[in-house]
């Protein structure tokens, strides 16, 4: 097991996507991810770089400081993949301490696994549904498990790059519907906004239209931070 928390960055920013859009929070971004999404916009977080190790005390101090000396009490644990097995014991220790200090904790989950020991402790889970353009797969049974175990405590987010991505997301929805699960959680479509491209207005409109024409069961929410700061800007 890696001895320390591998940390890419700890910073304050306004949430740019999903159901917490517009909410200031502190991001604790773990370093290290082995999932390999093709359209990942955080490839700098992939390496498990031991030299980026920090102690729990260092992280808590940074969270307090960037959160304006404890004024901001919302934390989002992200990555990288904070649910990679080598991170899990560290993330659990961090979550327990943050909860003692009364922080509200969201964790960004890649959708490839349900990690009960962490999901039981946090306040909210942002669970990815990986679409074909990512080259990774989220089994629908993972969402079924989330519905059964974490009602009211999670959103699902799917990055949509094209019609195939939308179709795959709709198929997953139909499977859940056929199992009588309906949609008891917010399912957010994030129109893909790649680094090094200008705002993809046509893609965004296409996603809006596909959602409307299919019954409008999803919520289309773009990545506001990329509009404001540019798609390449980090720590925003
Ligand atoms: S899980 Fe996140 S950090 Fe890892 S490859 Fe996919 S998008 Fe990138």
């Amino acid at each position: 097991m890696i001895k320390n928390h591998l940390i890419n960055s700890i910073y304050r920013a306004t949430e740019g996507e999903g159901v917490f859009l517009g909410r200031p929070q502190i991001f604790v971004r773990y370093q290290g991810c082995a999932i390999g999404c093709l359209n990942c916009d955080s490839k700098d977080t992939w390496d498990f770089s031991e030299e980026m190790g920090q102690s729990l005390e260092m992280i808590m101090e940074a969270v307090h400081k960037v959160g304006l000396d404890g004024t901001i009490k919302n934390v989002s644990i992200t990555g990288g993949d904070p649910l990679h097995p080598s991170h899990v014991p560290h993330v659990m220790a961090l979550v327990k301490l943050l909860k003692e200090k009364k922080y509200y904790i969201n964790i960004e989950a890649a959708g490839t696994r349900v990690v009960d020991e962490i999901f039981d402790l946090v306040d909210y889970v942002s669970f990815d549904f990986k679409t074909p353009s990512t080259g990774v797969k989220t089994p629908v049974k993972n969402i079924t498990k989330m519905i059964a175990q974490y009602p009211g405590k999670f959103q699902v987010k799917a990055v949509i790059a094209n019609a195939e991505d939308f179709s795959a997301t709709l198929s997953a929805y139909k499977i859940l519907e056929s199992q009588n699960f309906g949609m008891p959680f917010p399912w957010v479509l994030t129109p893909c906004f790649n680094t090094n491209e200008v705002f993809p207005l046509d893609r965004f409109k296409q996603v809006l239209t596909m959602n409307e024409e299919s019954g409008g069961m999803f919520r289309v929410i773009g990545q506001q931070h990329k509009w404001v700061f540019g798609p390449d800007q980090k720590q925003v």
Side-chain angles (χ1 to χ4, degrees):
M1 187 185 100
I2 296 166
K3 277 200 213 134
N4 262 330
H5 300 249
L6 299 187
I7 297 295
N8 173 281
S9 47
I10 298 172
Y11 57 96
R12 183 184 72 251
T14 293
E15 177 60 65
E17 62 184 43
V19 297
F20 295 126
L21 181 75
R23 187 179 78 168
Q25 56 192 11
I26 301 148
F27 291 83
V28 178
R29 187 174 294 283
Y30 274 77
Q31 178 71 30
C33 177
I35 292 174
C37 302
L38 298 174
N39 50 4
C40 176
D41 58 8
S42 309
K43 288 187 173 143
D44 59 309
T45 66
W46 285 12
D47 284 346
F48 289 80
S49 316
E50 302 256 355
E51 66 273 14
M52 298 179 93
Q54 291 195 31
S55 68
L56 191 52
E57 292 69 29
M58 290 163 76
I59 297 169
M60 291 301 291
E61 198 175 309
V63 165
H64 184 77
K65 190 170 170 202
V66 304
L68 303 173
D69 295 331
T71 305
I72 292 179
K73 302 294 277 187
N74 296 315
V75 169
S76 185
I77 298 175
T78 184
D81 175 17
L83 299 174
H84 185 279
S86 66
H87 291 318
V88 165
H90 299 301
V91 171
M92 283 178 69
L94 174 62
V95 167
K96 283 178 186 165
L97 202 46
L98 287 169
K99 287 310 299 173
E100 277 176 27
K101 306 278 183 194
K102 311 286 185 219
Y103 283 89
Y104 179 95
I105 304 168
N106 167 68
I107 192 155
E108 296 284 336
T112 50
R113 43 182 112 81
V114 176
V115 184
D116 293 328
E117 59 266 49
I118 289 181
F119 292 1
D120 286 340
L121 295 174
V122 298
D123 296 289
Y124 205 77
V125 181
S126 294
F127 199 81
D128 282 357
F129 174 76
K130 295 293 186 194
T131 45
S133 67
T134 68
V136 177
K137 205 166 167 45
T138 298
V140 175
K141 69 174 167 44
N142 285 2
I143 300 178
T144 308
K145 197 165 184 226
M146 292 299 293
I147 294 169
Q149 292 183 217
Y150 302 104
K153 193 173 152 172
F154 74 101
Q155 63 176 321
V156 172
K157 291 193 293 183
V159 172
I160 308 294
N162 49 41
E164 187 189 5
D165 282 354
F166 182 81
S167 174
T169 310
L170 188 59
S171 294
Y173 171 82
K174 298 275 184 201
I175 291 169
L176 291 171
E177 193 179 42
S178 71
Q179 295 170 347
N180 294 321
F181 284 122
M183 187 64 76
F185 58 88
W187 192 324
V188 175
L189 305 184
T190 308
C192 187
F193 187 170
N194 295 309
T195 52
N196 301 321
E197 71 177 356
V198 292
F199 174 62
L201 182 60
D202 289 343
R203 186 183 302 136
F204 205 109
K205 285 179 178 171
Q206 185 194 17
V207 176
L208 293 173
T209 301
M210 289 187 294
N211 188 39
E212 287 170 12
E213 291 178 348
S214 304
M217 60 283 286
F218 304 113
R219 292 175 61 179
V220 180
I221 301 177
Q223 293 177 296
Q224 171 178 277
H225 56 295
K226 293 186 178 177
W227 307 336
V228 176
F229 299 103
D232 297 323
Q233 191 69 41
K234 299 289 179 193
Q235 301 190 20
V236 291

